[in-house]
Amino acid sequence: MQNPSTLEVVRVRHPLKFRLLRVARVVPLSPALVRITLAGDLSDFVSASFDDHIKVFFPRDGADHPVMPTPGPDGPVLPEGATRAEMRDYTPCRFDTDAGELDLEFALHEAGPATAWAANAKPGDYLGIGGPRGSLMIPSGFDWHLLIGDETALPAIQRRLTELPPGTRVAVVVEVANRAARIALPTETDLYAIWCYRDEAQSENPLLEAVDEVWLPPGNGYVWAAGEASAIRAVRTHLVNDRGVDKKRIRASAYWRRGAQAAHETIDD
Ligand SMILES: Cc1cc2nc3c(=O)[nH]c(=O)nc-3n(C[C@H](O)[C@H](O)[C@H](O)COP(=O)(O)OP(=O)(O)OC[C@H]3O[C@@H](n4cnc5c(N)ncnc54)[C@H](O)[C@@H]3O)c2cc1C
């Protein structure tokens, strides 16, 4: 069992930087998830945790590139008279600062500026990014890790599975629309993966139903969960109230909220 003193979760800050990048490649991973590789000057890009996010800036009204702010003493500053770009949060899934490449993965859903942009993206298109502004460093040395989420959490889950040391004990519980939306999860961890499908689910919250079935091993574990706000809140409540997981050992986030645009929330009490 790990010494709990080495299992502290810490936050680190990064200088805020905005970049205009261009699409290099578009690879559909499933009918519901597309990987877009962006290229540009990423030499000083820093993303220290799988839990990180960047602000993504999308072009408006048929423009070929988004209006980008610059960092100012009191926060980001837009060019005079410019309309703010549409912005959404995305996970830096993979990056290579030498090659100047950054992969984002977009879950495609019914409608929204980010989904519309990603569904039509092609090499050469412009996209802006800002951040990450900081990282939550969750140690890898826990006795076990439980990663929970829907399509929007898959980029972070994939990154965590490539970054954890080989042999680490990990369970993932992923909810996707249907069997066609399942993707490969390459990893050298000791992975136990549970997939659940909305189109086959017996309940309103398939994620909760699947998490309820997961066995939690003894020892010091850490749970990371992200997805739709009410689904993740119910999962966290279940883990804390019914399974005795220490609140300090859960990072739960709303990556979107049904009926709301650009929602982001840390879920706690
Ligand atoms: C920290 C963080 C990291 C994230 N990382 C990723 C990532 O790597 N990949 C990713 O795909 N998403 C990620 N998301 C989620 C993404 O930012 C949201 O899904 C975002 O709302 C999508 O923007 P949009 O313009 O497509 O839709 P919006 O204009 O924001 O929303 C339009 C409508 O669609 C609904 N909606 C939004 N997202 C979904 C969805 N996934 N499924 C069904 N309906 C939805 C909304 O409730 C709203 O009714 C992340 C969110 C956060 C907070």
Side-chain angles (χ1 to χ4, degrees):
M1 206 179 284
Q2 285 287 324
N3 172 0
S5 66
T6 62
L7 298 178
E8 202 189 339
V9 175
V10 292
R11 281 182 190 280
V12 295
R13 303 289 297 170
H14 311 300
L16 178 59
K17 188 144 184 189
F18 297 101
R19 304 162 207 266
L20 191 60
L21 303 173
R22 295 189 86 166
V23 174
R25 293 186 295 283
V26 178
V27 177
L29 300 180
S30 80
L33 191 69
V34 60
R35 176 180 295 154
I36 298 186
T37 301
L38 301 165
D41 182 4
L42 290 154
S43 52
D44 55 357
F45 181 82
V46 179
S47 171
S49 169
F50 75 103
D51 176 77
D52 285 358
H53 69 276
I54 51 175
K55 262 308 163 216
V56 178
F57 298 77
F58 300 92
R60 266 186 193 272
D61 306 328
D64 79 333
H65 62 274
V67 174
M68 294 299 289
T70 47
D74 303 317
V77 182
L78 281 179
E80 184 95 27
T83 308
R84 214 182 69 152
E86 290 279 11
M87 293 183 290
R88 299 291 184 269
D89 292 335
Y90 280 83
T91 304
C93 193
R94 181 200 66 95
F95 59 96
D96 180 336
T97 51
D98 292 338
E101 285 193 352
L102 168 67
D103 286 357
L104 304 182
E105 292 179 5
F106 291 78
L108 303 176
H109 58 99
E110 234 163 78
T115 282
W117 180 87
N120 295 297
K122 53 186 188 317
D125 287 357
Y126 287 96
L127 195 68
I129 67 163
R133 299 183 81 150
S135 304
L136 188 76
M137 307 298 296
I138 301 168
S140 59
F142 285 97
D143 298 311
W144 53 267
H145 298 258
L146 174 58
L147 308 171
I148 300 167
D150 63 15
E151 290 90 341
T152 62
L154 269 175
I157 290 174
Q158 291 174 86
R159 177 168 164 186
R160 185 62 158 167
L161 289 175
T162 61
E163 292 180 351
L164 282 171
T168 304
R169 195 170 196 189
V170 190
V172 304
V173 182
V174 185
E175 175 197 309
V176 289
N178 49 44
R179 283 173 189 267
R182 184 174 167 153
I183 61 164
L185 296 175
T187 183
E188 291 181 27
T189 63
D190 176 8
L191 174 64
Y192 175 67
I194 298 173
W195 291 82
C196 52
Y197 309 105
R198 284 190 289 280
D199 69 344
E200 297 174 16
Q202 306 292 317
S203 81
E204 287 281 289
N205 190 345
L207 209 47
L208 177 61
E209 209 179 327
V211 170
D212 189 31
E213 300 285 310
V214 174
W215 176 68
L216 301 179
N220 288 306
Y222 197 91
V223 182
W224 181 93
E228 199 282 325
S230 59
I232 297 299
R233 183 171 291 284
V235 165
R236 180 180 178 279
T237 302
H238 162 74
L239 288 168
V240 172
N241 292 354
D242 308 335
R243 310 292 292 279
V245 177
D246 182 344
K247 289 175 187 175
K248 292 196 289 296
R249 294 282 163 84
I250 304 182
R251 161 76 161 170
S253 307
Y255 271 15
W256 63 284
R257 176 184 294 282
R258 202 167 301 286
Q261 290 199 292
H264 182 191
E265 193 192 327
T266 298
I267 298 180
D268 43 31
D269 292 336

